[in-house]
Amino acid sequence: MSQIGGFFDLWNPVVLLVVVVVGYVYSRFVAKGNGNFADAEPVSDKQKLCFYTGLALFYIGQGSPINYIGHHYLFSAHMLQQTVLYLIVPIFIWVGTPAWILRLFMKNRVFRGIFTFFTRPLIALFLFNMLFSIYHMPFIMDGLMKNDVLLFSYHTVLLITAFMMWFPVFCPLPEMNHLNDLKKMAYIFGNGMLLTPACALIIFAESTIYDMYSNVTVPFTHLSPLDDQQLGGVIMKIIQEIVYGATLAYIFFRWYRRERKDDDDMDLVETQESLNNQGGNWNRA
């Protein structure tokens, strides 16, 4: 390969259409609330910004040149795409999703049963990390890259399980938010541990392990295939650490503020009770 694809290869119009349609539906029926749905409340500006950011990042990962270059030329670009789609996009989408819209789907018994099962913390945790690790086995990735239908199907399943994996942490439904902040921090830590072996396999390999990237001529970089492979592992590990670290910090400080607020409220109540008792003693005197 020596030539980069055409404009529509680099900027996928189908993915762009999907993003625009989803964005329009969100803006028209979700962001402003809709009187046709019970309990439909307007979405906050923060939620809107998060949802639209998630859509933009999805297009960058799936419809921009990162996707094409990662599929045909650079393993490092492919790993950048993976981390954006599976470690970042679901967070923004979940934060931008109002509780009432998800409750509409939960009214369906079949959907509710399947969704509840696959978003159980341990199941979601191990399912995503297992599928993600299997995907990066050399014979699996080489095989999938040769068949567009299988590759699309596997990526779709990975994306769905990534959303399931992030749901216990950024759950928009209070009634399904079963993990307290300390358990969420442990959950994130467990995610990082399970993802590390795949990173280590790629970073510390002494030779190229993916045939599809071994004999590619890249017209715009001087990276060797081995350097590109190691760079891909480093990108995945660094972005994972940044995302998980930021999530841990967010949850920790939220927990810390809540604990401080509870302590302050308790101190206020005790002070008020003390003053009331003193007032009663004075009146009796």
Side-chain angles (χ1 to χ4, degrees), residues 219-248:
F220 48 83
T221 182
H222 298 291
L223 280 175
S224 69
L226 181 58
D227 289 339
D228 173 50
Q229 177 179 287
Q230 292 173 336
L231 177 61
V234 170
I235 288 173
M236 178 169 67
K237 186 60 179 176
I238 289 177
I239 295 180
Q240 174 222 321
E241 294 292 343
I242 292 173
V243 173
Y244 287 2
T247 303
L248 282 172

Side-chain angles (χ1 to χ4, degrees), residues 71 86 135 139-158:
H71 184 71
Y86 307 139
Y135 174 75
F139 72 96
I140 296 292
M141 181 181 287
D142 286 333
L144 290 173
M145 288 292 187
K146 295 175 183 178
N147 188 310
D148 290 340
V149 175
L150 289 179
L151 182 65
F152 174 80
S153 300
Y154 202 103
H155 281 180
T156 301
V157 172
L158 263 180

Side-chain angles (χ1 to χ4, degrees), residues 9-251:
D9 293 320
L10 298 175
W11 300 96
N12 193 313
V14 176
V15 177
L16 178 61
L17 178 62
V18 171
V19 168
V20 170
V21 169
V22 173
Y24 172 78
V25 171
Y26 181 86
S27 176
R28 177 68 177 82
F29 297 103
V30 180
K32 298 178 182 179
N34 193 301
N36 295 327
F37 301 116
D39 302 323
E41 298 177 355
V43 181
S44 69
D45 291 337
K46 175 186 174 182
Q47 287 180 296
K48 295 176 188 177
L49 178 61
C50 285
F51 192 89
Y52 294 135
T53 299
L55 287 182
L57 289 173
F58 176 78
Y59 183 73
I60 291 173
Q62 192 63 44
S64 78
I66 292 176
N67 177 54
Y68 182 85
I69 294 171
H71 184 71
H72 294 90
Y73 294 100
L74 293 176
F75 177 76
S76 55
H78 182 64
M79 295 314 299
L80 176 61
Q81 176 199 31
Q82 299 281 291
T83 52
V84 170
L85 290 177
Y86 307 139
L87 300 185
I88 302 177
V89 168
I91 295 177
F92 283 99
I93 297 297
W94 279 134
V95 173
T97 302
W100 66 266
I101 193 68
L102 192 54
R103 288 192 182 104
L104 290 177
F105 293 97
M106 297 297 286
K107 291 179 179 180
N108 183 286
R109 293 180 60 185
V110 175
F111 177 87
R112 183 173 66 252
I114 295 174
F115 187 84
T116 302
F117 176 80
F118 283 104
T119 55
R120 292 178 180 176
L122 288 180
I123 293 176
L125 179 73
F126 285 105
L127 185 60
F128 169 75
N129 285 285
M130 179 186 67
L131 291 176
F132 192 79
S133 297
I134 290 174
Y135 174 75
H136 289 96
M137 292 179 178
F139 72 96
I140 296 292
M141 181 181 287
D142 286 333
L144 290 173
M145 288 292 187
K146 295 175 183 178
N147 188 310
D148 290 340
V149 175
L150 289 179
L151 182 65
F152 174 80
S153 300
Y154 202 103
H155 281 180
T156 301
V157 172
L158 263 180
L159 185 63
I160 292 172
T161 56
F163 273 89
M164 300 299 99
M165 183 269 289
W166 282 113
F167 182 81
V169 180
F170 296 97
C171 177
L173 289 175
E175 60 267 29
M176 293 187 67
N177 190 17
H178 302 306
L179 296 182
N180 60 35
D181 288 336
L182 291 178
K183 289 181 179 179
K184 287 180 180 180
M185 287 189 278
Y187 181 86
I188 294 298
F189 181 79
N191 259 302
M193 294 295 293
L194 290 174
L195 203 60
T196 297
C199 297
L201 169 70
I202 297 167
I203 294 173
F204 296 109
E206 297 181 355
S207 61
T208 56
I209 58 178
Y210 301 107
D211 292 339
M212 59 168 295
Y213 293 107
S214 298
N215 301 307
V216 174
T217 300
V218 184
F220 48 83
T221 182
H222 298 291
L223 280 175
S224 69
L226 181 58
D227 289 339
D228 173 50
Q229 177 179 287
Q230 292 173 336
L231 177 61
V234 170
I235 288 173
M236 178 169 67
K237 186 60 179 176
I238 289 177
I239 295 180
Q240 174 222 321
E241 294 292 343
I242 292 173
V243 173
Y244 287 2
T247 303
L248 282 172
Y250 169 77
I251 295 172

